[in-house]
Amino acid sequence: MRNHLAEDVLSKKMLYLLQAYKKNVSQTQGHEAAYLDKTIEFIDMTSKVANIFSDRRPVSSLDDHRLATNQQVLDYLNKWEKDAEAHTELRKSERGKRLLSDKLRFDLSSMIIGFQEVCKTAFEHFPGSTISPFRTNSDLVENIFCQERGHNGQNSNPTYAQYGPTMNSIVLGQTTTTTSSNTGSVENLCFFKNGPFRSNKK
């Protein structure tokens, strides 16, 4: 539900709506409505990411224009962060209000960088392979983090001494699933199977 709402709010349709609204304001009120420019720029970037990661056409080369577009969005986010941090006259909390949340910035950055690195690895080690953006999913990785938290008393920041043994348990196959995650139906040892991932759900 939340994913669909975010996709609708940050999509091309919202971009066109804002552009049309700005045009209408300019025509009816006699000014350019420049206060909408930054919002439109932001939605323009998010709509590009939404389009790319819902695209069913496979990526078969690092020269694919979608990878360059992803990098453009990442550069935009990094520049935004630097611009906000440059306001040293403001308190840190006030500078933070000028940005997306840390978690959202991390999620967007890791999604873009992660997809880029997956493509690099696949094309380097498996020539002729393709990657479909719409199949990109971080649930399996998040499942490991959920398992780490669960084994360590729901601790989101385990120490090295806690993290290592838990990861060993996961790697050795005790379990890779937890009912507390988004992917509780993923099979044990799915990371070690050559075949497709299958669900335990009937």
Side-chain angles (χ1 to χ4, degrees):
M1 177 65 182
R2 289 177 299 173
N3 290 343
H4 291 306
L5 176 61
E7 188 174 352
D8 287 340
V9 172
L10 303 175
S11 67
K12 279 284 186 185
K13 292 181 180 179
M14 181 59 71
L15 175 63
Y16 297 149
L17 177 63
L18 284 170
Q19 290 172 335
Y21 175 69
K22 179 182 177 181
K23 182 178 180 181
N24 180 67
V25 169
S26 300
Q27 292 174 345
T28 58
Q29 299 183 15
H31 60 81
E32 292 299 320
Y35 59 87
L36 291 172
D37 288 346
K38 291 297 182 180
T39 302
I40 291 175
E41 182 183 15
F42 173 66
I43 299 299
D44 181 36
M45 292 296 169
T46 59
S47 65
K48 290 176 180 178
V49 173
N51 281 347
I52 289 171
F53 284 99
S54 61
D55 196 343
R56 292 179 174 271
R57 296 172 300 166
V59 175
S60 58
S61 166
L62 292 178
D63 295 326
D64 192 294
H65 71 279
R66 288 169 290 182
L67 296 180
T69 301
N70 273 346
Q71 186 60 47
Q72 178 189 1
V73 175
L74 184 61
D75 292 342
Y76 165 79
L77 293 172
N78 291 336
K79 182 178 182 298
W80 183 2
E81 184 172 357
K82 289 179 180 178
D83 289 345
E85 292 298 330
H87 289 275
T88 54
E89 74 280 3
L90 300 176
R91 290 180 296 180
K92 185 176 181 179
S93 60
E94 293 175 332
R95 293 199 299 270
K97 293 178 181 179
R98 292 172 170 260
L99 292 166
L100 300 173
S101 69
D102 290 340
K103 291 183 178 180
L104 180 53
R105 295 203 310 275
F106 175 81
D107 285 345
L108 287 171
S109 298
S110 63
M111 181 172 65
I112 292 171
I113 295 172
F115 184 70
Q116 181 99 4
E117 293 302 316
V118 165
C119 289
K120 285 181 181 179
T121 301
F123 301 152
E124 178 181 350
H125 296 285
F126 306 98
S129 61
T130 60
I131 305 291
S132 297
F134 84 101
R135 291 186 179 276
T136 304
N137 194 315
S138 64
D139 281 352
L140 289 174
V141 177
E142 290 179 12
N143 191 36
I144 290 183
F145 295 148
C146 286
Q147 191 74 6
E148 283 284 351
R149 285 193 291 270
H151 271 261
N152 294 294
Q154 300 303 322
N155 180 7
S156 296
N157 298 288
T159 64
Y160 176 79
Q162 293 172 320
Y163 191 92
T166 302
M167 182 56 70
N168 288 340
S169 297
I170 295 173
V171 170
L172 293 174
Q174 282 189 7
T175 179
T176 55
T177 62
T178 170
T179 56
S180 300
S181 74
N182 296 328
T183 56
S185 62
V186 177
E187 285 189 356
N188 294 346
L189 298 177
C190 66
F191 299 99
F192 301 95
K193 292 186 177 181
N194 293 324
F197 296 148
R198 293 174 295 177
S199 172
N200 287 329
K201 289 183 177 179
K202 301 297 183 182

